[in-house]
Amino acid sequence: MEDWGSYILPAARAVWGEPSSVGEIEVRFGAHGSKSVRLDKGVWHDHETGESGGVVDLVRTHLIPVGEREERGAVARYLHSEFGAPLDDAPVEDMSVFKPGMQLVETFWYATEHGQKHLRVERHEDGTGDKTFRQYTARNLAPSKDSAYYPVPYRLDKLLAAPDKPIFIAEGEKCVHALERLGLLATCNAGGAKNWHVSLGKWLDGRRVFVLPDNDQAGSDHADDVIEKLKPWASEIRRVELPGLEHKGDVADWIEAGGTKLELSALVKSAEPVALDDITTTYKYADLTDILTREPAHWLIPNYLPQSSLTAIYGEPGSYKSFLALDMLLSLAYGVPFDGHELEQGYVCYVAGEGGGALRKRVAAWHDRRGVKPQRGVFGVIEEPVPLREEGAIDALIADLEAMRRRKPLRAIVFDTLARCMSGDENSATDMGEAIKALDAVKAHFAPDTTVIAVHHQGKVDRGLRGSSSLLGALDAALQCKRNDTTLEVITQKMKDFEAAEPAWFQGHKVYVQAHVLDDVESSIVLERMGDKPQVEEQLTPAQNEALRALHEALLENGARNVNGIERQSVSLEDWWRMTDGFQISTGNDESRRRAWKRAVEGLRKIGRVGVRNKRTWINAANQANGQAPDNESDKVWWGESE
């Protein structure tokens, strides 16, 4: 009789029609070849939906009426009637029909924690050593088709009934039964090797576990898998190797050959316990106690750059953001103080995305202003963009950095600008995510000492980082640069592991440099930290300037101290208004002029240039006239009349 898999091609033709391409091993169906059949393995795959299976799945799912799909022998009867597949006289399972001589020899039931029948595993043999297994749930469905199914260990009822006994884990139900005949508590998983589901661990929580591998590669791999998945659950795990096993032998064979409970006990005692803290996981893992003993976060440059971080320095064009980055990183490269903080010297790399030419006079001005003599081997410049999203670019960059630093600690690498180093759309979360992944790869390679800095542009809408919001989410720190004339304000917009520092102000100083006597004199900007917030003179409107001039005149003519509870020199609002006659408050009539004057007075009050209370007014001191809040004695509704 033919093997059952030989009917995969006629079954596929019945489902999908004639093939679009035919090879010796693979046959494709559909206009785009999205469905395939492997003739050598008797299996099919739908590349659009991800579904796959054998001839039984294909026939049952696509060719048999829904109401007949779960009947025993339904697939066999279909293949017999449509393609002439021979049938045995005795009723047998679909798969067994096409395995000559296969007979059901044993059935194993898996029970739930409530003792209810849950999974039936059938063992079929042909008398020559060839065997196969079939699984059905209590509802006579395949486990993958039954929404009520969940994995349980074999003999779960016995495990729960003996919570203090150690548990032996074997590969297969036959081995469990052999161990039970020795008076031991044992279990296994359905499906054999490499099918131990991670959810089975909860049933062995806090238990002592002894794993017995079969004597072949599959058995060894299965034991490793079971041990790894039980490390978070078991209180003790030992891997017990049985002596004298033939290839593919198992614990049932060892017991049949004369192995005793006493001998097994000795083997268990001599086996080394598995280190339960040494857990191998797909994702980065740490126990809570490991986290609590870690070093706290450290600064690379206090208040500005955290160590081993991904940081962005951003601002509008011309906001001094590149000057700030250069100042910090050159200070780091030479180990000289920055903003009063001593720095630990280390190698720095600067990726000049727009080329290194513009750096020459900036770097020269910095050395001149700081009084530092240039040194070789402390600061490297890559004079072209690094294409972060191109395959192999990061591996090449890491290799270059290893060569550049010459075994010195790499303290920082800056990408100026991020936009020049990433292709694609910076507004796309996918494209930005790939760039972030590349930056993280650089940081991870040189961890834990290296900080990665991206100099970036500011957006137009919310004035935050330009592009996808995924960038801000991935950052450990973000510094915004705001320039006003020749001053720079640095604002900490994000600081994940530290308290955000107060805004810092820097003054841009023009420095003139000349490389050689015959060269032209060039100039560049070098930043110097300012102690206090710079005083910014408010720009007054023409009407406000005229109104303020009139107030000076009114104070000279009618000003008085200690009037209406106001100790300073003040004048009545009406005296101020009368004094505006002759000043260019407005070109309209008296009513228009009075409205213009009131708007001017309100504006002067809001910016703190004048104070108003009890229908009298005065000129504030200089420190209140430079963008600070109005005098707190001023009336909020200062006119004292209905408007």
Side-chain angles (χ1 to χ4, degrees):
M1 183 179 296
E2 304 174 68
D3 180 74
W4 63 278
S6 63
Y7 295 96
I8 190 69
L9 184 56
R13 278 197 172 100
V15 176
W16 297 313
E18 287 303 308
S20 56
S21 66
V22 179
E24 292 185 7
I25 295 177
E26 185 178 69
V27 178
R28 290 272 181 165
F29 294 83
H32 302 289
S34 61
K35 299 170 178 61
S36 64
V37 163
R38 286 289 299 264
L39 301 178
D40 57 334
K41 296 183 178 180
V43 296
W44 60 274
H45 184 72
D46 188 329
H47 299 271
E48 290 182 350
T49 65
E51 296 178 289
S52 60
V55 66
V56 172
D57 301 301
L58 187 63
V59 171
R60 178 180 285 126
T61 304
H62 296 281
L63 297 174
I64 296 178
V66 175
E68 301 175 12
R69 288 178 182 174
E70 300 305 328
E71 293 181 6
R72 290 172 66 87
V75 173
R77 288 193 296 273
Y78 179 89
L79 293 177
H80 175 69
S81 63
E82 296 296 325
F83 309 124
L87 286 171
D88 292 340
D89 294 332
V92 289
E93 286 297 313
D94 293 332
M95 185 174 173
S96 302
V97 169
F98 303 102
K99 293 278 190 179
M102 281 289 177
Q103 299 293 328
L104 176 63
V105 296
E106 198 165 6
T107 299
F108 308 104
W109 274 103
Y110 285 64
T112 68
E113 65 272 31
H114 306 296
Q116 300 167 336
K117 289 185 176 181
H118 188 59
L119 178 71
R120 182 176 85 250
V121 176
E122 295 183 349
R123 178 187 176 103
H124 297 260
E125 295 181 357
D126 64 356
T128 66
D130 193 12
K131 62 182 182 295
T132 188
F133 294 85
R134 297 285 281 175
Q135 298 181 19
Y136 303 91
T137 67
R139 298 195 293 177
N140 209 35
L141 299 173
S144 61
K145 306 292 185 182
D146 193 337
S147 60
Y149 174 77
Y150 56 92
V152 293
Y154 191 45
R155 300 301 211 197
L156 177 57
D157 53 341
K158 294 181 180 293
L159 304 185
L160 297 176
D164 299 324
K165 291 186 66 174
I167 300 170
F168 288 83
I169 297 180
E171 185 185 322
E173 297 85 3
K174 180 189 70 170
C175 294
V176 171
H177 289 197
L179 289 163
E180 288 179 342
R181 286 192 289 272
L182 294 181
L184 301 171
L185 189 63
T187 189
C188 67
N189 60 275
K194 298 293 283 185
N195 280 300
W196 182 274
H197 197 275
V198 67
S199 66
L200 298 180
K202 65 182 180 182
W203 303 113
L204 283 72
D205 188 17
R207 306 293 292 266
R208 299 176 64 208
V209 174
F210 310 134
V211 181
L212 303 169
D214 285 5
N215 189 29
D216 57 11
Q217 189 60 51
S220 179
D221 293 344
H222 177 64
D224 291 341
D225 185 54
V226 171
I227 290 170
E228 202 60 47
K229 290 175 179 174
L230 283 181
K231 282 180 179 179
W233 298 98
S235 63
E236 178 186 337
I237 303 175
R238 296 177 188 245
R239 179 187 176 117
V240 182
E241 303 287 350
L242 299 173
L245 283 181
E246 295 184 359
H247 181 60
K248 291 185 176 294
D250 55 32
V251 66
D253 298 325
W254 183 80
I255 292 172
E256 186 178 354
T260 66
K261 181 178 180 179
L262 188 61
E263 291 172 332
L264 185 55
S265 177
L267 291 171
V268 168
K269 290 179 181 179
S270 64
E272 287 292 326
V274 173
L276 300 183
D277 289 338
D278 184 19
I279 298 174
T280 302
T281 57
T282 302
Y283 300 101
K284 188 177 180 180
Y285 163 82
D287 189 80
L288 178 61
T289 56
D290 299 328
I291 292 175
L292 291 173
T293 57
R294 285 178 181 168
E295 284 284 320
H298 296 287
W299 286 109
L300 184 67
I301 298 180
N303 297 331
Y304 296 93
L305 299 179
Q307 183 175 296
S308 190
S309 68
L310 177 58
T311 297
I313 300 173
Y314 72 98
E316 295 178 341
S319 62
Y320 286 168
K321 56 183 180 289
S322 292
F323 289 99
L324 177 67
L326 268 176
D327 193 5
M328 289 193 292
L329 296 177
L330 284 166
S331 300
L332 186 67
Y334 287 103
V336 299
F338 179 85
D339 191 10
H341 299 286
E342 297 293 332
L343 305 182
E344 182 182 349
Q345 190 272 337
Y347 192 81
V348 172
C349 176
Y350 199 98
V351 179
E354 297 178 355
L359 285 178
R360 182 179 56 80
K361 62 180 181 179
R362 295 181 181 182
V363 172
W366 185 90
H367 283 83
D368 183 80
R369 179 80 179 184
R370 297 284 185 264
V372 175
K373 184 178 179 180
Q375 296 179 27
R376 182 175 292 276
V378 296
F379 192 105
V381 180
I382 294 177
E383 297 185 280
E384 61 178 315
V386 174
L388 296 173
R389 297 180 60 241
E390 286 188 12
E391 185 176 356
I394 293 304
D395 290 338
L397 174 62
I398 289 172
D400 288 352
L401 291 171
E402 290 287 9
M404 291 163 61
R405 68 172 180 151
R406 297 177 183 270
R407 294 187 297 277
K408 295 187 292 292
L410 179 67
R411 305 290 289 162
I413 175 171
V414 61
F415 295 83
D416 187 1
T417 61
L418 178 61
R420 292 300 301 269
C421 291
M422 65 168 289
S423 56
D425 182 3
E426 65 181 15
N427 293 301
S428 164
T430 300
D431 291 351
M432 183 61 77
E434 290 180 5
I436 292 167
K437 184 178 179 181
L439 297 177
D440 281 337
V442 175
K443 180 165 71 79
H445 179 84
F446 293 100
D449 298 322
T450 302
T451 291
V452 176
I453 302 154
V455 177
H456 196 46
H457 299 295
Q458 182 167 288
K460 294 181 179 179
V461 179
D462 58 4
R463 320 307 287 175
L465 285 156
R466 195 173 76 184
S468 171
S469 60
S470 61
L471 175 58
L472 181 61
L475 293 173
D476 299 298
L479 305 178
Q480 183 183 22
C481 294
K482 284 187 175 182
R483 178 182 169 186
N484 184 7
D485 195 17
T486 61
T487 63
L488 166 65
E489 181 183 8
V490 180
I491 303 170
T492 301
Q493 294 290 6
K494 181 178 181 181
M495 191 64 68
K496 188 173 73 172
D497 293 326
F498 295 94
E499 183 115 6
E502 292 296 320
W505 285 269
F506 295 81
Q507 178 69 53
H509 290 275
K510 185 171 286 189
V511 177
Y512 295 91
V513 292
Q514 186 179 26
H516 302 288
V517 175
L518 298 179
D519 289 342
D520 292 334
V521 175
E522 297 178 296
S523 67
S524 186
I525 297 296
V526 178
L527 299 175
E528 296 289 350
R529 180 69 157 90
M530 302 175 66
D532 299 312
K533 177 180 178 180
Q535 301 298 315
V536 180
E537 183 73 21
E538 286 285 345
Q539 296 297 313
L540 303 183
T541 67
Q544 289 171 343
N545 271 316
E546 290 294 288
L548 198 57
R549 287 176 58 209
L551 179 55
H552 277 286
E553 293 295 327
L555 285 166
L556 289 173
E557 185 172 317
N558 298 308
R561 292 181 179 276
N562 299 315
V563 178
N564 291 352
I566 301 170
E567 296 180 358
R568 69 188 77 190
Q569 187 90 350
S570 66
V571 69
S572 71
L573 290 170
E574 283 304 314
D575 284 341
W576 186 4
W577 161 244
R578 283 192 295 269
M579 187 59 68
T580 61
D581 188 22
F583 289 87
Q584 295 297 316
I585 301 294
S586 171
T587 58
N589 56 28
D590 280 352
E591 185 179 349
S592 296
R593 289 183 66 254
R594 189 170 178 88
R595 284 199 301 268
W597 172 70
K598 285 185 177 183
R599 288 194 298 270
V601 176
E602 180 64 11
L604 291 168
R605 187 192 70 84
K606 285 184 176 179
I607 63 175
R609 296 297 293 269
V610 301
V612 180
R613 181 159 56 88
N614 297 339
K615 298 185 181 181
R616 293 187 68 81
T617 184
W618 62 89
I619 295 177
N620 272 323
N623 68 321
Q624 293 171 306
N626 285 310
Q628 297 188 12
D631 192 298
N632 59 15
E633 294 181 351
S634 297
D635 293 332
K636 289 185 178 179
V637 182
W638 56 273
W639 295 109
E641 57 183 321
S642 298
E643 291 293 322

